[in-house]
């Protein structure tokens, strides 16, 4: 249900509150994604973000809700008074406490929900409401708004027919796509070492235009199987060396090859990153080895960085333009 149906005028400080959750091993990745999706001016807390930018919470694997803030106040009584303006004719609702805010006991949370919910004209339904309102306190200031939750349909991508044991997880791949391409409209994207197509599938599910390439025939074959499995064209991935690619893309996501038994030669890194520079003006680059000096040598400027760990396996993410 849209906010307009309520026929309300939002608070003049109207913003969006997003709540998120992530494991500590992916927190840096999560925060970099939040910055790119929600803007550098976004106010980031431990598990929440205030932003002027509106996005579908399903974009991010870390977002748990978006609250379209209608009212703010210094006390719960102020919120309750404002909420009394809400008239829901034929729609049901419920009020939930936003747990990302100040900590309240279970009884205190339920008391707040009942107090504010009792001021709204409409039918309360705690199981299947037409609309969910959120009430929360952050730093002692109260806010109230309409809650939107992600469907998380992308979770089915975890069950790919083909995959590498060390390949990017669907969650990490989705976050990397958002970092490389926070805007999807009119964007062309390249994944020049696409492996089994994890990045391709996440990008396509978000409506991005993307092309993939890999010089490993087994990887290309697996990527095509995965693409067909989710209803995408297998012609989006081709067999070939990224250094031979032509064209120009808005952005790219390069997961550099790695070998647990040998070091990736410096000359190969230089050549690949140099080729990427000619193909895209922006890129998220993933590496298991230090890249700072190599990126500088190939003309890339680092504008963001994060590290993701999985046991002893460490990936560095470099956002460059």
């Amino acid at each position: 249900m849209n906010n307009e149906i309520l026929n309300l005028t939002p608070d003049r400080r109207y913003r969006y509150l997003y709540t998120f959750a992530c494991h500590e091993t992916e927190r840096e990745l999560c925060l970099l994604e939040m910055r790119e999706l929600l803007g550098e001016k976004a106010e980031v807390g431990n598990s929440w973000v205030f932003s002027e930018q509106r996005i579908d919470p399903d974009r991010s694997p870390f977002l748990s809700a978006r609250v379209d803030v209608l009212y703010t106040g210094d006390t719960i009584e102020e919120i309750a008074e404002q909420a009394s303006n809400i008239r829901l004719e034929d729609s049901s609702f419920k009020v939930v406490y936003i747990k990302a805010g100040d900590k309240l006991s279970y009884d205190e949370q339920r008391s707040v929900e009942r107090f504010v919910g009792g001021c709204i004209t409409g039918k309360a339904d705690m199981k299947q409401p037409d609309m969910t309102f959120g009430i929360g306190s952050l730093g002692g200031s109260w806010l109230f708004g309409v809650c939107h939750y992600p469907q998380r349909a992308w979770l089915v991508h975890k069950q790919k027919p083909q995959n590498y044991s060390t390949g990017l997880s669907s969650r990490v791949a989705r976050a990397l796509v958002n970092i490389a391409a926070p805007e999807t409209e009119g964007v062309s994207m390249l994944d020049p070492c696409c492996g089994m197509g994890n990045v391709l599938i996440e990008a396509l599910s978000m409506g991005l235009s993307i092309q993939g390439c890999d010089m490993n025939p087994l990887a290309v074959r697996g990527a095509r199987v995965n693409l067909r499995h989710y209803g995408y064209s297998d012609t989006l991935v081709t067999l070939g060396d990224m250094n031979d690619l032509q064209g120009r893309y808005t952005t790219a996501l390069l997961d550099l090859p790695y070998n647990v038994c040998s070091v990736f030669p410096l000359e190969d890194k230089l050549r690949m990153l140099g080729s990427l520079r000619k193909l895209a003006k922006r890129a998220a680059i993933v590496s298991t080895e230090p890249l700072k000096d190599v990126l500088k040598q190939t003309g890339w400027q680092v504008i963001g960085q994060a590290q993701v760990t999985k046991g002893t396996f460490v990936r560095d993410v470099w956002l460059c333009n």
Side-chain angles (χ1 to χ4, degrees):
M1 183 179 293
N2 295 326
N3 300 340
E4 288 78 7
I5 295 177
L6 299 176
N7 194 27
L8 299 173
T9 301
D11 184 275
R12 63 183 179 83
R13 293 166 290 179
Y14 180 94
R15 293 193 293 180
Y16 300 101
L17 171 71
Y18 297 87
T19 59
F20 66 88
C22 62
H23 192 272
E24 59 182 9
T25 59
E26 296 175 345
R27 185 166 178 82
E28 290 185 12
L29 182 72
C30 172
L31 293 179
L32 181 57
E33 185 203 43
M34 293 297 105
R35 189 193 78 177
E36 294 306 309
L37 282 178
L38 300 175
E40 292 186 355
K41 293 182 179 180
E43 182 183 345
V44 182
N46 185 54
S47 57
W48 53 266
V49 182
F50 264 127
S51 175
E52 300 288 349
Q53 296 184 205
R54 182 182 186 275
I55 66 167
D56 184 342
D58 233 6
R59 278 290 302 272
S60 168
F62 302 117
L63 287 177
S64 51
R66 186 190 80 226
V67 181
D68 299 357
V69 180
L70 291 172
Y71 307 129
T72 60
D74 294 328
T75 66
I76 188 64
E77 287 77 18
E78 286 184 42
I79 297 295
E81 182 180 355
Q82 295 175 89
S84 65
N85 293 316
I86 298 176
R87 302 281 192 275
L88 298 176
E89 302 299 333
D90 301 316
S91 301
S92 59
F93 75 96
K94 73 174 178 179
V95 177
V96 298
Y97 185 76
I98 302 168
K99 296 181 181 179
D102 297 338
K103 302 298 182 184
L104 297 184
S105 69
Y106 177 84
D107 289 339
E108 288 172 330
Q109 292 178 33
R110 300 295 84 80
S111 176
V112 165
E113 292 167 353
R114 288 192 296 270
F115 179 52
V116 176
C119 297
I120 298 172
T121 301
K123 179 184 177 182
D125 184 346
M126 299 306 292
K127 292 185 177 180
Q128 291 184 312
D130 297 316
M131 175 171 282
T132 298
F133 294 106
I135 174 76
S137 175
L138 280 80
S141 295
W142 290 87
L143 61 83
F144 175 92
V146 182
C147 293
H148 302 272
Y149 299 102
Q151 298 297 311
R152 300 195 186 282
W154 59 270
L155 286 174
V156 300
H157 300 159
K158 296 172 67 175
Q159 309 302 322
K160 296 179 183 67
Q162 303 289 320
N163 216 339
Y164 288 133
S165 60
T166 55
L168 297 172
S169 68
S170 297
R171 186 174 62 257
V172 171
R174 194 170 185 85
L176 288 171
V177 169
N178 286 329
I179 289 168
E183 301 290 338
T184 59
E185 192 70 28
V187 173
S188 59
M189 191 171 182
L190 173 68
D191 182 357
C193 294
C194 68
M196 293 291 181
N198 294 5
V199 165
L200 296 176
I201 290 167
E202 295 309 318
L204 289 166
S205 73
M206 288 186 261
L208 273 159
S209 173
I210 188 169
Q211 296 286 326
C213 175
D214 204 289
M215 63 188 302
N216 182 344
L218 294 177
V220 171
R221 189 179 307 157
R224 288 174 174 168
V225 169
N226 287 336
L227 285 167
R228 290 195 298 270
H229 179 75
Y230 292 108
Y232 301 116
S233 172
D234 60 9
T235 62
L236 294 173
V237 57
T238 57
L239 176 65
D241 188 334
M242 68 167 287
N243 296 304
D244 298 328
L245 293 176
Q246 301 293 322
R248 189 69 174 165
Y249 298 82
T250 310
T251 187
L253 205 167
L254 172 61
D255 186 8
L256 283 167
Y258 48 85
N259 190 321
V260 295
C261 300
S262 63
V263 176
F264 188 29
L266 175 60
E267 56 269 26
D268 289 351
K269 291 181 193 174
L270 288 169
R271 188 179 180 209
M272 293 176 73
L273 292 171
S275 295
L276 188 69
R277 195 75 184 95
K278 298 174 184 177
L279 293 165
K281 58 184 179 181
R282 174 187 171 98
I285 301 166
V286 184
S287 174
T288 59
E289 300 175 5
L291 275 189
K292 186 175 181 180
D293 293 338
V294 183
L295 289 168
K296 186 176 181 180
Q297 289 181 56
T298 49
W300 289 103
Q301 179 185 3
V302 177
I303 58 175
Q305 186 179 356
Q307 192 171 85
V308 183
T309 61
K310 184 179 180 181
T312 58
F313 192 64
V314 180
R315 283 186 170 99
D316 283 306
V317 179
W318 309 80
L319 178 60
C320 307
N321 60 20

